[in-house]
Amino acid sequence: MRTTSLPANVHDIAELGAVLRAQRQRLQITQATAAGLSGVSTRLWSECETGKRAHVGLETVIRMLNTVGIDLAVTARYTAQAA
């Protein structure tokens, strides 16, 4: 099995797609299997992995990430200065 570390932060759809692909491959499942488990089409899964599908609902993205065992975390980049 190939081991690939996932990036700590994802900043765009292409990076998210790379994470999906790396984790799916780590699990040794096909796009069709991952898509079926997520309840999305194989075409949608493929387009997300390649960064060609920029507009996917958050609920769908979370479902896809959950399918391959990835949790979504939100981190603030900036903090407001006290007035």
Side-chain angles (χ1 to χ4, degrees):
M1 179 180 346
R2 193 170 91 182
T3 58
T4 306
S5 62
L6 298 175
N9 295 299
V10 171
H11 297 100
D12 59 37
I13 194 69
E15 288 179 2
L16 178 64
V19 166
L20 273 175
R21 173 169 284 175
Q23 184 68 1
R24 178 184 58 75
Q25 290 174 339
R26 179 180 290 123
L27 296 172
Q28 299 181 344
I29 60 175
T30 65
Q31 287 181 340
T33 298
L37 292 169
S38 299
V40 300
S41 69
T42 303
R43 180 177 178 171
L44 173 70
W45 189 283
S46 174
E47 289 176 352
C48 287
E49 279 193 6
T50 59
K52 293 179 182 175
R53 180 70 72 101
H55 302 286
V56 180
L58 182 59
E59 186 175 316
T60 300
V61 170
I62 291 170
R63 214 170 50 243
M64 293 170 73
L65 291 170
N66 285 337
T67 296
V68 293
I70 296 174
D71 294 324
L72 178 67
V74 178
T75 306
R77 285 186 271 156
Y78 308 105
T79 56
Q81 296 292 326

